[in-house]
Amino acid sequence: MKIFQDAFEEGVSGDLAALEKRCRAEDVPVIRRPTQSLLRVILAARRPTAVLEIGTAIGFSSVFMCTYSDASVTTIENYAKRIPEARRTIAAFHMEDRIHLLEGDAQKILPSLTGPYDMIFMDAAKGQYPVFYKDVKRLLVPHGILVTDNILQEGEILDSRYMVERRNRTIHRRMREYLHMLMSDEDMVTTILPVGDGLSLSVKK
Protein backbone atom coordinates (compact mmCIF):
# COMPACT_ATOMS: atom_id res chain seq x y z
CA MET A 1 0.00 0.00 0.00
CA LYS A 2 2.93 2.34 0.64
CA ILE A 3 3.71 2.60 -3.07
CA PHE A 4 0.20 3.90 -3.72
CA GLN A 5 0.42 6.36 -0.84
CA ASP A 6 3.78 7.62 -2.11
CA ALA A 7 2.32 8.11 -5.59
CA PHE A 8 -0.51 10.24 -4.22
CA GLU A 9 1.76 12.20 -1.90
CA GLU A 10 4.44 12.96 -4.50
CA GLY A 11 4.88 16.69 -4.37
CA VAL A 12 6.41 19.49 -6.36
CA SER A 13 10.02 20.61 -6.05
CA GLY A 14 12.19 23.71 -6.10
CA ASP A 15 10.57 27.15 -6.00
CA LEU A 16 7.09 25.67 -6.41
CA ALA A 17 7.63 23.53 -3.29
CA ALA A 18 8.74 26.64 -1.40
CA LEU A 19 5.57 28.44 -2.50
CA GLU A 20 3.42 25.49 -1.41
CA LYS A 21 5.13 25.46 2.00
CA ARG A 22 4.49 29.17 2.39
CA CYS A 23 0.82 28.76 1.48
CA ARG A 24 0.37 26.08 4.11
CA ALA A 25 2.23 28.11 6.74
CA GLU A 26 0.09 31.20 6.07
CA ASP A 27 -3.18 29.24 5.78
CA VAL A 28 -3.62 30.19 2.13
CA PRO A 29 -5.78 27.68 0.21
CA VAL A 30 -3.61 25.36 -1.88
CA ILE A 31 -4.52 22.24 -3.86
CA ARG A 32 -3.80 19.10 -1.90
CA ARG A 33 -1.10 16.62 -2.88
CA PRO A 34 -3.47 13.90 -4.21
CA THR A 35 -5.27 16.55 -6.26
CA GLN A 36 -1.94 17.76 -7.62
CA SER A 37 -1.09 14.21 -8.73
CA LEU A 38 -4.40 13.84 -10.56
CA LEU A 39 -4.10 17.28 -12.16
CA ARG A 40 -0.68 16.37 -13.53
CA VAL A 41 -2.19 13.31 -15.22
CA ILE A 42 -5.09 15.34 -16.62
CA LEU A 43 -2.72 17.99 -17.97
CA ALA A 44 -0.49 15.35 -19.56
CA ALA A 45 -3.44 13.53 -21.13
CA ARG A 46 -5.52 16.54 -22.22
CA ARG A 47 -2.57 18.80 -23.16
CA PRO A 48 -4.67 21.99 -22.94
CA THR A 49 -3.56 25.17 -24.63
CA ALA A 50 -6.03 27.48 -22.88
CA VAL A 51 -7.07 27.03 -19.23
CA LEU A 52 -9.54 29.08 -17.21
CA GLU A 53 -9.11 29.07 -13.45
CA ILE A 54 -11.71 30.48 -11.09
CA GLY A 55 -10.00 31.22 -7.78
CA THR A 56 -6.35 32.28 -7.92
CA ALA A 57 -5.48 32.75 -4.23
CA ILE A 58 -1.78 33.72 -4.46
CA GLY A 59 -1.13 31.89 -7.71
CA PHE A 60 0.09 28.41 -6.75
CA SER A 61 -2.32 26.45 -8.94
CA SER A 62 -1.86 28.79 -11.92
CA VAL A 63 1.90 28.34 -11.77
CA PHE A 64 1.44 24.61 -11.17
CA MET A 65 -0.68 24.18 -14.31
CA CYS A 66 1.78 26.18 -16.41
CA THR A 67 4.69 24.18 -15.01
CA TYR A 68 3.13 20.86 -16.02
CA SER A 69 1.68 21.92 -19.37
CA ASP A 70 2.24 24.33 -22.24
CA ALA A 71 -1.06 26.07 -21.55
CA SER A 72 -1.82 29.72 -21.06
CA VAL A 73 -3.95 30.34 -17.96
CA THR A 74 -6.61 32.99 -17.44
CA THR A 75 -7.32 33.18 -13.72
CA ILE A 76 -9.89 35.15 -11.72
CA GLU A 77 -9.48 36.38 -8.14
CA ASN A 78 -11.88 38.53 -6.12
CA TYR A 79 -10.08 38.78 -2.75
CA ALA A 80 -8.27 42.14 -2.89
CA LYS A 81 -5.71 41.16 -0.25
CA ARG A 82 -4.44 38.24 -2.33
CA ILE A 83 -4.32 39.89 -5.75
CA PRO A 84 -0.98 41.72 -5.21
CA GLU A 85 0.48 38.49 -3.81
CA ALA A 86 -0.70 36.59 -6.88
CA ARG A 87 0.90 39.15 -9.18
CA ARG A 88 4.18 38.85 -7.27
CA THR A 89 4.03 35.07 -7.57
CA ILE A 90 3.43 35.22 -11.32
CA ALA A 91 6.33 37.65 -11.74
CA ALA A 92 8.63 35.57 -9.52
CA PHE A 93 8.09 32.55 -11.79
CA HIS A 94 8.47 34.71 -14.93
CA MET A 95 5.07 33.66 -16.22
CA GLU A 96 3.56 37.06 -17.00
CA ASP A 97 3.25 36.04 -20.66
CA ARG A 98 1.33 32.85 -19.81
CA ILE A 99 -0.83 33.76 -16.81
CA HIS A 100 -3.47 36.48 -17.23
CA LEU A 101 -4.91 37.56 -13.87
CA LEU A 102 -8.38 39.12 -13.89
CA GLU A 103 -9.39 41.05 -10.78
CA GLY A 104 -12.96 41.01 -9.52
CA ASP A 105 -16.10 38.96 -9.03
CA ALA A 106 -16.20 35.91 -11.31
CA GLN A 107 -19.98 36.25 -11.54
CA LYS A 108 -19.46 39.58 -13.32
CA ILE A 109 -16.32 38.63 -15.26
CA LEU A 110 -17.41 35.28 -16.70
CA PRO A 111 -20.19 36.68 -18.95
CA SER A 112 -17.62 39.00 -20.58
CA LEU A 113 -15.24 36.17 -21.53
CA THR A 114 -15.38 34.55 -24.95
CA GLY A 115 -12.86 31.75 -24.47
CA PRO A 116 -13.01 29.05 -25.52
CA TYR A 117 -11.05 26.98 -23.01
CA ASP A 118 -9.84 23.39 -23.22
CA MET A 119 -9.92 23.06 -19.46
CA ILE A 120 -11.57 24.93 -16.61
CA PHE A 121 -10.49 24.57 -12.98
CA MET A 122 -12.94 25.78 -10.34
CA ASP A 123 -11.60 26.38 -6.85
CA ALA A 124 -13.32 29.53 -5.63
CA ALA A 125 -16.28 30.47 -3.41
CA LYS A 126 -18.15 27.16 -3.26
CA GLY A 127 -21.57 28.72 -2.80
CA GLN A 128 -21.24 30.48 -6.17
CA TYR A 129 -20.67 27.37 -8.29
CA PRO A 130 -24.33 27.06 -9.42
CA VAL A 131 -24.21 30.71 -10.50
CA PHE A 132 -20.98 30.20 -12.46
CA TYR A 133 -22.07 27.02 -14.21
CA LYS A 134 -23.97 28.45 -17.18
CA ASP A 135 -21.00 30.54 -18.33
CA VAL A 136 -18.46 27.86 -17.45
CA LYS A 137 -20.28 25.40 -19.69
CA ARG A 138 -20.53 28.00 -22.48
CA LEU A 139 -16.80 28.72 -22.33
CA LEU A 140 -15.74 25.07 -22.45
CA VAL A 141 -14.85 23.58 -25.85
CA PRO A 142 -16.49 20.32 -26.95
CA HIS A 143 -14.55 17.49 -25.29
CA GLY A 144 -13.11 20.05 -22.87
CA ILE A 145 -12.76 19.11 -19.21
CA LEU A 146 -14.17 20.87 -16.16
CA VAL A 147 -12.38 20.12 -12.88
CA THR A 148 -14.05 21.22 -9.65
CA ASP A 149 -12.12 20.96 -6.38
CA ASN A 150 -13.30 20.54 -2.77
CA ILE A 151 -16.72 19.24 -3.71
CA LEU A 152 -17.01 16.93 -0.68
CA GLN A 153 -16.49 19.76 1.84
CA GLU A 154 -14.58 17.57 4.33
CA GLY A 155 -17.27 14.91 3.92
CA GLU A 156 -20.14 17.21 4.93
CA ILE A 157 -21.69 17.08 1.46
CA LEU A 158 -22.64 13.45 2.17
CA ASP A 159 -24.45 14.37 5.39
CA SER A 160 -28.00 15.52 5.92
CA ARG A 161 -28.19 19.30 6.01
CA TYR A 162 -29.39 19.02 9.62
CA MET A 163 -26.06 17.43 10.59
CA VAL A 164 -24.15 20.38 9.13
CA GLU A 165 -23.40 23.45 11.25
CA ARG A 166 -25.98 26.15 10.61
CA ARG A 167 -23.35 28.58 9.26
CA ASN A 168 -22.35 26.03 6.58
CA ARG A 169 -25.83 25.03 5.45
CA THR A 170 -26.07 27.50 2.57
CA ILE A 171 -22.79 26.28 1.07
CA HIS A 172 -23.92 22.67 1.67
CA ARG A 173 -27.20 23.30 -0.19
CA ARG A 174 -25.57 25.14 -3.09
CA MET A 175 -22.83 22.53 -3.52
CA ARG A 176 -25.48 19.81 -3.70
CA GLU A 177 -27.35 21.94 -6.23
CA TYR A 178 -24.17 22.28 -8.29
CA LEU A 179 -23.47 18.55 -8.21
CA HIS A 180 -27.05 17.88 -9.29
CA MET A 181 -26.53 20.29 -12.22
CA LEU A 182 -23.43 18.39 -13.30
CA MET A 183 -24.84 14.90 -12.90
CA SER A 184 -28.15 15.67 -14.61
CA ASP A 185 -26.74 17.70 -17.51
CA GLU A 186 -27.04 15.55 -20.64
CA ASP A 187 -24.36 17.64 -22.36
CA MET A 188 -21.77 16.60 -19.77
CA VAL A 189 -20.24 13.31 -18.65
CA THR A 190 -19.34 13.61 -14.96
CA THR A 191 -17.70 11.52 -12.29
CA ILE A 192 -16.92 12.32 -8.67
CA LEU A 193 -13.65 11.14 -7.17
CA PRO A 194 -12.75 10.94 -3.46
CA VAL A 195 -9.37 12.57 -4.11
CA GLY A 196 -8.14 15.25 -1.74
CA ASP A 197 -11.31 16.95 -0.51
CA GLY A 198 -13.31 15.53 -3.41
CA LEU A 199 -13.02 16.31 -7.10
CA SER A 200 -15.56 16.27 -9.89
CA LEU A 201 -14.43 15.71 -13.48
CA SER A 202 -16.82 16.66 -16.26
CA VAL A 203 -16.29 16.36 -20.00
CA LYS A 204 -18.44 18.35 -22.38
CA LYS A 205 -19.94 16.18 -25.12
Side-chain angles (χ1 to χ4, degrees):
M1 292 298 293
K2 188 175 185 301
I3 189 172
F4 296 111
Q5 182 178 355
D6 289 346
F8 272 112
E9 291 298 324
E10 179 185 2
V12 293
S13 59
D15 291 340
L16 198 54
L19 177 60
E20 179 186 31
K21 183 177 181 180
R22 177 190 159 199
C23 287
R24 297 191 190 285
E26 297 179 3
D27 202 26
V28 174
V30 63
I31 46 179
R32 302 183 185 193
R33 290 283 178 84
T35 305
Q36 292 177 29
S37 296
L38 184 56
L39 274 179
R40 287 170 70 167
V41 172
I42 292 170
L43 291 165
R46 185 64 183 87
R47 300 175 68 182
T49 59
V51 174
L52 173 64
E53 177 186 43
I54 305 173
T56 314
I58 65 169
F60 176 85
S61 49
S62 295
V63 170
F64 178 93
M65 289 188 284
C66 284
T67 299
Y68 292 104
S69 76
D70 294 324
S72 294
V73 175
T74 298
T75 183
I76 304 171
E77 179 56 50
N78 191 38
Y79 187 19
K81 182 180 178 180
R82 289 192 176 134
I83 289 170
E85 290 291 316
R87 293 206 179 279
R88 282 192 284 271
T89 296
I90 294 166
F93 282 84
H94 308 290
M95 290 185 174
E96 298 97 326
D97 60 334
R98 294 181 60 196
I99 301 175
H100 182 207
L101 175 59
L102 303 178
E103 304 178 17
D105 185 347
Q107 186 176 349
K108 296 178 180 178
I109 291 173
L110 288 170
S112 70
L113 299 181
T114 57
Y117 299 97
D118 309 294
M119 175 176 164
I120 298 177
F121 181 54
M122 289 231 288
D123 191 15
K126 314 308 177 205
Q128 296 300 307
Y129 286 0
V131 179
F132 298 159
Y133 184 62
K134 180 180 178 181
D135 280 304
V136 163
K137 180 180 174 181
R138 172 183 63 83
L139 291 166
L140 196 62
V141 298
H143 310 298
I145 186 166
L146 167 62
V147 182
T148 309
D149 200 9
N150 304 118
I151 56 100
L152 292 182
Q153 295 288 285
E154 302 292 348
E156 284 191 343
I157 200 66
L158 303 175
D159 296 332
S160 162
R161 67 183 296 270
Y162 298 106
M163 295 178 64
V164 177
E165 289 186 33
R166 185 177 297 274
R167 62 189 175 87
N168 293 333
R169 287 181 183 174
T170 297
I171 292 176
H172 180 272
R173 175 176 56 81
R174 289 180 178 171
M175 183 59 78
R176 284 195 166 199
E177 179 185 349
Y178 173 69
L179 291 175
H180 177 73
M181 286 179 172
L182 288 178
M183 300 302 291
S184 62
D185 190 336
E186 294 183 355
D187 295 329
M188 306 288 276
V189 178
T190 297
T191 189
I192 297 173
L193 301 175
V195 174
D197 189 27
L199 203 72
S200 67
L201 301 181
S202 306
V203 177
K204 186 175 179 179
K205 294 181 181 178

